[in-house]
Amino acid sequence: VAMKDDVVILRNLLTSQELEALDRDCSQASRRFITHEQYAETSCAIDLFERSSLEDERIRTNHERYFKERWRNYNEDSSHIRNTEECDIPSPEDKNSIRNTLCSTLPKALNLLLRREELFLFNEHYVVKPPQSRISFRWHRDADEQLQFCHDQNIEYYSLWCPLDDVNERNGTLQLPHGTNIHTIDISELSHSSQSQSGNEAKLLELISSPSTSSIEHQSDPLCPSPSSDAPPVSITVPRGSGVVFSSLMWHCSGANASDAPRRVLYVQYSKDIITSTGRARAATTTTIARKRKWQEEHHTPSRSPNTTTTLPLPLCFAIPCECTGRGTLAGSTD
């Protein structure tokens, strides 16, 4: 599916258990890695790997090493902890839930649109806008911001913008260029109701097979991608537990949070291929899951010789393989 000018809102994507685990995870990450005064300095982004050394490529490409490093960060740098009594590391249940969210629920949801055998987890972080703040984000494309050290900045990857709070124009939701195609799919209906599933399947097929009908004409000024000054951007209202899917080449911005509560979002990105500083490097083993596992075992064994040369360039960020088969296993929220 060509999603450069399309945004898809997947309602009821996350279950209650997943949301509760993410609530605790975001809260812990906020206390440990950032003080209230630093929100503006970090553009409200809470990077779970901010203090990690990523020279070990296995952290970037191996499930176990990735999550081991993710949890390890909760035990370090106690100077960032506001209340040590409230900062226990994630429970085993929360760890399993978060891992399932990142490596199963979200990529499988994205696969509804992309129809891929696997995707790679490219990046994840929380975006927390504090209450009554003036922090806003100007028009930008993620690829321009994140691929500055990549020779090809037009590589397309995909974001899942998952609000942990109901988001609207008052608390700084996403704003999109006038003319953007916005589609809404209810995951709970797709998963639980066979009668509704046929309608959702038809809608999915339409999204995948039909070319974009958007008439967006980006102006030369990158800060104003809307067609004209008299065509205001579109603000989207999205309930907690949904996922907003859009391309890394999609222009977007967001306003300040004028509400009395934080506006929290889990921001996860996936790529079809491994992205490196030289561009897109397709792993030769992405044709089947079995070949992928064989490549992982041969390429990322801890005991390999330090003089062994790698067959693939180092990923620009992360490249954690996620299996995307099993569309029908999406649970969806029933709350």
Side-chain angles (χ1 to χ4, degrees):
V1 57
M3 291 191 59
K4 182 179 178 181
D5 296 327
D6 290 88
V7 168
V8 180
I9 301 174
L10 301 174
R11 295 175 63 92
N12 295 310
L13 175 59
L14 299 175
T15 65
S16 296
Q17 180 181 358
E18 289 175 319
L19 281 169
E20 291 170 4
L22 291 170
D23 283 341
R24 289 186 286 267
D25 189 58
C26 181
S27 178
Q28 291 171 352
S30 300
R31 286 192 293 265
R32 289 180 179 275
F33 301 148
I34 198 167
T35 62
H36 186 78
E37 294 74 20
Q38 291 174 312
Y39 277 111
E41 297 176 8
T42 62
S43 299
C44 299
I46 299 176
D47 183 1
L48 296 163
F49 293 86
E50 181 181 11
R51 299 189 307 279
S52 298
S53 173
L54 299 181
E55 295 179 0
D56 183 351
E57 66 181 88
R58 288 170 295 171
I59 296 175
R60 300 184 185 217
T61 57
N62 180 273
H63 284 92
E64 296 301 327
R65 294 298 296 265
Y66 178 87
F67 284 100
K68 182 178 180 180
E69 182 69 12
R70 194 185 194 279
W71 311 134
R72 185 185 69 83
N73 284 327
Y74 280 110
N75 293 318
E76 295 196 352
D77 199 359
S78 59
S79 63
H80 288 74
I81 301 176
R82 292 179 181 175
N83 187 338
T84 56
E85 295 180 357
E86 298 179 0
C87 291
D88 296 331
I89 62 173
S91 67
E93 294 78 13
D94 280 359
K95 287 182 179 181
N96 289 335
S97 179
I98 292 168
R99 181 168 180 158
N100 182 73
T101 299
L102 297 176
C103 294
S104 180
T105 299
L106 298 185
K108 283 180 179 177
L110 187 54
N111 186 50
L112 290 170
L113 305 172
L114 301 181
R115 302 298 175 96
R116 300 285 295 187
E117 185 173 276
E118 68 176 357
L119 294 168
F120 294 92
L121 173 60
F122 175 69
N123 182 45
E124 63 147 322
H125 58 273
Y126 290 105
V127 181
V128 180
K129 289 185 178 180
Q132 298 293 333
S133 64
R134 299 181 179 179
I135 304 171
S136 61
F137 300 123
R138 66 178 188 173
W139 288 107
H140 66 281
R141 302 189 310 172
D142 287 344
D144 297 331
E145 302 290 331
Q146 296 178 304
L147 302 184
Q148 294 182 22
F149 298 102
C150 185
H151 293 173
D152 182 3
Q153 296 187 11
N154 288 316
I155 294 175
E156 187 175 28
Y157 49 99
Y158 304 92
S159 296
L160 265 161
W161 191 84
C162 304
L164 303 183
D165 306 289
D166 294 340
V167 294
N168 49 55
E169 191 169 3
R170 176 172 170 77
N171 65 2
T173 190
L174 280 178
Q175 296 184 16
L176 306 166
H178 178 80
T180 300
N181 298 320
I182 302 176
H183 314 271
T184 300
I185 298 171
D186 194 319
I187 291 294
S188 64
E189 292 181 2
L190 181 65
S191 302
H192 296 289
S193 171
S194 58
Q195 183 177 1
S196 300
Q197 182 168 344
S198 59
N200 280 283
E201 286 283 3
K203 191 170 187 178
L204 289 171
L205 289 173
E206 179 182 355
L207 282 174
I208 294 170
S209 60
S210 301
S212 173
T213 58
S214 173
S215 59
I216 296 177
E217 298 177 358
H218 299 305
Q219 294 185 0
S220 58
D221 182 359
L223 300 183
C224 185
S226 294
S228 63
S229 59
D230 59 350
V234 178
S235 295
I236 59 175
T237 299
V238 186
R240 162 180 163 88
S242 301
V244 182
V245 181
F246 57 94
S247 164
S248 60
L249 303 179
M250 167 66 71
W251 286 97
H252 59 283
C253 65
S254 65
N257 179 9
S259 74
D260 296 326
R263 192 226 67 179
R264 305 165 301 151
V265 170
L266 172 67
Y267 206 168
V268 192
Q269 295 164 315
Y270 299 89
S271 60
K272 293 180 179 179
D273 308 294
I274 296 175
I275 300 176
T276 72
S277 60
T278 58
R280 187 168 9 204
R282 265 189 95 86
T285 54
T286 56
T287 53
T288 66
I289 298 301
R291 292 177 65 192
K292 175 199 71 177
R293 288 174 176 162
K294 183 175 184 296
W295 172 75
Q296 278 189 299
E297 292 172 359
E298 293 177 350
H299 189 61
H300 301 297
T301 51
S303 60
R304 68 177 182 171
S305 168
N307 296 324
T308 301
T309 57
T310 59
T311 58
L312 291 172
L314 191 66
L316 184 67
C317 192
F318 295 100
I320 308 299
C322 301
E323 296 184 17
C324 297
T325 54
R327 291 185 300 126
T329 61
L330 281 171
S333 174
T334 58
D335 303 336

